[in-house]
Amino acid sequence: MMTINPQFQKLQASYLFANIGKKVRAYQEEHPQADIIRLGIGDVTRPLPAVSIAAMQKAVAEMGAAETFRGYPTDYGQIFLEEAIQADYALRGVNVSVDEIFLSDGAKSDTGNFGDVFGAGNVIAVCDPIYPVYVDTNVMAGRAGYLLEDGHWSDLLYLDCGESAGFLPRLPSRHADIVYLCSPNNPTGTAMNKSQLQAWVDWANENGAILLFDGAYEAFITEDLPRSIYEIEGAKTCAVEFRSFSKTAGFTGVRCAYTVVPKELVRGGVSVNAVWNRRQATKFNGVSYITQRGAEATFTQEGRAQVRETITYYLRNANVIKTGLQSIGLSVWGGVNSPYIWVKVPDGADSWGFFDMLLNQAQVVGTPGCGFGPAGEGYFRLTGFGTAERTQTAVERMQTLDL
Ligand SMILES: *Cc1c(COP(=O)(O)O)cnc(C)c1O
């Protein structure tokens, strides 16, 4: 008899965004006039940089003429975007070769797909709270056992990134083979500094482990912190880095990202770069030419200025939320090197209780922290991705909360 991968049945416990939608719809039905402000979803709202639009329009025209038409990216040997990415790394003093850079349609796909590289018995360590993709894709792959009563999966190693840990992962107390790190972090907004990253790199090299470093929010770093794991000595022999144009340049709907797999990264005599190359060559046919031109344009001087302007806009929103909530006595993290604001819910409430309170009293929608793992219970995520006007209105409403 044919069977369906039973792992998917185990996953159905995840109702976060469905539950948010249900609660918001119910509220709207009861209060049809309500003006609801959504500060929950992790999607950008500002338009693409003008340089990207111009570059993509030009690329569309090229596709319409036989002399400049492009087909499968690999068949044309085009590496202009990889070269632009390489040059961008060089600005931070990082040397990567173009065949260490793998373009893709998203960091979500890459962080999810990268598990294909690893054998079945590896011990996977994840932070708690965490971007749910890392856990769910390991469940799908059969590496995560079963869901325990405390909300953790039986075979995963969880690194507590709660408030008492400063929202930062400590080195594992027991053996782990693969560790997912995300800095600046979604959902807590915390960014790791050089010595914290160095400790992880040293640990991974000493233990033969691999770090999967998600840098989707590196462009939001404004303080003097590393923007790439490869700014850390020794990272080339233990770390894979995921980056994306999604949050950096508004490409969430266009889709373009890249993963760096250093050639020095070898385990059991096998090159991880070669395995990932084989995997991508088999299951992926490259990023559209038009999209690549749009992404390339973000690295021009004009492009960088336009990207910076949008990031500054989101960071300003995040700061408005942060200072606004601090002024009513709430404890708030993130919002500095990150578009995310991580709020401790007032005494006596849990994440969903605070969700209901915000929706009912302020008509503001956020994301309950418990949706990112058990250690997120008692916390709440808001984002700076709204418009400045709506963010300001949301903060004014939240300041009238009856806490
Ligand atoms: C948004 C996000 C990504 C980027 O996903 P894309 O597929 O590139 O749009 C990756 N990692 C984290 C933690 C994110 O929040």
Side-chain angles (χ1 to χ4, degrees), residues 372-402:
F372 301 98
E377 180 56 86
Y379 297 83
F380 202 78
R381 193 192 75 175
L382 294 167
T383 85
F385 284 134
T387 67
E389 298 72 28
R390 298 289 278 168
T391 301
Q392 186 61 45
T393 305
V395 168
E396 282 161 18
R397 288 191 202 164
M398 289 191 283
Q399 286 178 318
T400 67
L401 284 177
D402 182 18

Side-chain angles (χ1 to χ4, degrees), residues 348-366:
D350 60 10
S351 294
W352 280 112
F354 191 64
F355 176 92
D356 292 334
M357 183 185 196
L358 274 190
L359 180 59
N360 287 304
Q361 293 185 26
Q363 292 76 52
V364 171
V365 177

Side-chain angles (χ1 to χ4, degrees), residues 105-109 131 134 182 186 214 216-217 244 246-247 252 255 257 340:
D105 66 330
K108 183 187 230 182
S109 331
Y131 180 56
Y134 315 147
C182 178
N186 177 10
D214 187 339
Y217 296 95
S244 172
S246 282
K247 316 299 168 29
T252 53
R255 315 301 308 141
Y340 295 117

Side-chain angles (χ1 to χ4, degrees), residues 181-248:
L181 297 176
C182 178
S183 177
N185 189 265
N186 177 10
T188 66
T190 312
M192 294 168 85
N193 67 26
K194 194 163 185 173
S195 64
Q196 286 153 352
L197 288 171
Q198 188 70 61
W200 274 101
V201 165
D202 292 344
W203 171 86
N205 279 323
E206 280 158 26
N207 291 277
I210 288 183
L211 305 178
L212 298 180
F213 185 81
D214 187 339
Y217 296 95
E218 57 87 15
F220 288 82
I221 293 178
T222 49
E223 295 178 325
D224 184 23
L225 296 168
R227 294 190 40 176
S228 163
I229 190 77
Y230 303 119
E231 292 175 44
I232 307 302
E233 206 184 314
K236 287 264 188 83
T237 52
C238 68
V240 171
E241 177 158 285
F242 304 96
R243 281 185 170 188
S244 172
F245 294 92
S246 282
K247 316 299 168 29
T248 305

